[in-house]
Amino acid sequence: MPTQPVLALTQGDPAGIGPEILLKLVAGGREASSCRQLLIAERSALECVQKSVPAAGWDRLVFMESVPSASVLADLESTAIAVFDPVGSGRKVVPGRSRAADAAGAMAALDTGIALGQSGVVDALVTAPISKSSIARHYSGDFRGHTDYIAQVCNLDSYGRDYLMAFLAPDLQVALVSTHISLSEAIRQLDSKRIVEALNCLSKNCGGSIAVAGLNPHAGEEGLLGTEDRDIVAPAIEQFRDSGATRATVFGPESPDSVFVRARRGEFDWVLALYHDQGLIAVKTVAFGAATNWTVGLPFIRTSVDHGTAFALAGTGRADVGPLERVVATTLQLIAGKLPRSAATSM
């Protein structure tokens, strides 16, 4: 087995900036040299942007005819970068235009990465951005994103109870009770059971101090500005406390307009946001490009960048590899059993 951690990195949408940032990552830098990378990407997608990344060291890429085993990866020279093409066809990739073949290529890479994570050949799976709309249009109409798809393949049934979407920024860690549904649907679905399940999942996998953000302004002002915090959120927190869970201390409901600032100052290790944008607006405002998307609860580590496919930049050579480098650094921390912010502060 190789002494360095092994990361599988998927191409994302081949027509997006995924192939370019993969090449830029392996071109060098501290993060690239501190682990062994396996790129799961179509050769045609990499070749399409090769000239845009002249420092990529194309001669270091070793294209595999089949999915490599752990022993094959271990036998590679330390400077070599393994690449597996999950499609194997010499098609033409058009940067900035996601077509049916691109959606299929994104899914083929993702499926390969999941299999490698499940088998233990790699220590973590890092996914480049996909186009959810392209996959839903061309490949699978009910597709809603990496997180739910990976969990489904891993036989995890229930979001919140079994797995959570979380974002790790340098001084802010946020998990979400609900993800890619409309705001009205997120509010309609909110109940104490969902909050308790999310708290249990976060407690079991991470521990530490958790602040539950209120739903309404000022967490409802004791019912003056809405009753959900009084009738749904507060009872859920009490139920969790009464359950005897010992890995986490829970506070709230906390006023959502200040809880993220308080967490950044070190008062809490985590904020549990009640819907997608409540958490993501805070994360992306303070740490856009510096946050890591982490799927809590999977049987293997899966992380991703916090940005999209950036089709307008695809093929131009101007895509910023910095966010992916930071994700790799955070992923190596997770492999080592460390969160970016220690959960021991309040345990």
Side-chain angles (χ1 to χ4, degrees):
M1 293 290 291
T3 56
Q4 290 181 314
V6 180
L7 306 187
L9 299 107
T10 60
Q11 65 181 350
D13 192 300
I17 63 170
E20 179 181 331
I21 60 176
L22 290 186
L23 287 182
K24 287 181 175 179
L25 176 75
V26 302
R30 181 174 59 84
E31 287 79 11
S33 63
S34 58
C35 61
R36 170 147 283 182
Q37 307 95 39
L38 165 59
L39 307 188
I40 307 172
E42 294 173 69
R43 181 166 188 153
S44 56
L46 297 175
E47 289 176 340
C48 180
V49 296
Q50 180 183 356
K51 293 181 180 179
S52 300
V53 193
W58 191 266
D59 57 338
R60 295 171 56 208
L61 303 185
V62 179
F63 288 88
M64 304 285 178
E65 294 185 358
S66 58
V67 180
S69 64
S71 59
V72 168
L73 292 173
D75 288 341
L76 285 177
E77 292 190 11
S78 60
T79 58
I81 304 297
V83 184
F84 173 68
D85 184 339
V87 176
S89 64
R91 68 185 186 91
K92 180 176 175 59
V93 176
V94 180
R97 290 180 54 198
S98 184
R99 300 169 296 177
D102 299 300
M107 293 305 296
L110 179 56
D111 286 336
T112 302
I114 294 171
L116 286 164
Q118 289 176 312
S119 67
V121 171
V122 300
D123 295 290
L125 171 64
V126 179
T127 57
I130 55 173
S131 170
K132 291 186 284 292
S133 60
S134 179
I135 293 172
R137 181 169 63 252
H138 297 300
Y139 191 88
S140 175
D142 61 353
F143 186 84
R144 291 297 178 269
H146 273 121
T147 301
D148 290 333
Y149 181 82
I150 297 172
Q152 182 181 23
V153 174
C154 294
N155 296 316
L156 299 180
D157 294 328
S158 176
Y159 180 85
R161 185 191 69 195
D162 301 324
Y163 64 101
L164 282 173
M165 181 184 289
F167 289 82
L168 309 176
D171 58 0
L172 181 63
Q173 298 181 160
V174 176
L176 310 178
V177 171
S178 62
T179 58
H180 297 125
I181 56 177
S182 70
L183 178 57
S184 61
E185 184 67 11
I187 295 172
R188 189 189 69 80
Q189 291 185 7
L190 186 67
D191 57 27
S192 294
K193 179 174 180 287
R194 287 178 179 273
I195 297 171
V196 171
E197 288 179 342
L199 286 171
N200 281 325
C201 184
L202 195 57
S203 171
K204 178 178 69 176
N205 289 282
C206 304
S209 59
I210 305 169
V212 181
L215 178 68
N216 296 296
H218 302 192
E221 290 275 15
E222 298 183 357
L224 181 66
L225 303 178
T227 61
E228 292 89 352
D229 296 288
R230 182 192 64 195
D231 298 342
I232 297 174
V233 184
I237 294 170
E238 287 304 314
Q239 183 178 341
F240 175 81
R241 289 170 178 161
D242 292 343
S243 70
T246 58
R247 290 210 68 218
T249 304
V250 178
F251 302 87
E254 303 293 338
S255 181
D257 64 359
S258 61
V259 67
F260 299 99
V261 173
R262 293 166 64 192
R264 292 185 69 205
R265 291 174 177 171
E267 191 172 342
F268 313 111
D269 293 312
W270 286 91
V271 176
L272 181 64
L274 299 184
Y275 55 92
H276 183 276
D277 279 11
Q278 185 183 51
L280 267 293
I281 289 173
V283 169
K284 293 191 176 184
T285 297
V286 302
F288 185 73
T292 295
N293 181 346
W294 174 35
T295 307
V296 175
L298 291 178
F300 55 87
I301 295 171
R302 177 263 165 170
T303 58
S304 184
V305 292
D306 67 349
H307 61 73
T309 53
F311 285 128
L313 288 177
T316 67
R318 303 199 311 269
D320 182 8
V321 69
L324 181 59
E325 289 176 335
R326 284 183 278 272
V327 167
V328 168
T330 301
T331 304
L332 294 176
Q333 287 184 285
L334 293 173
I335 292 171
K338 302 174 182 177
L339 286 168
R341 169 178 285 179
S342 172
T345 56
S346 58
M347 292 179 62

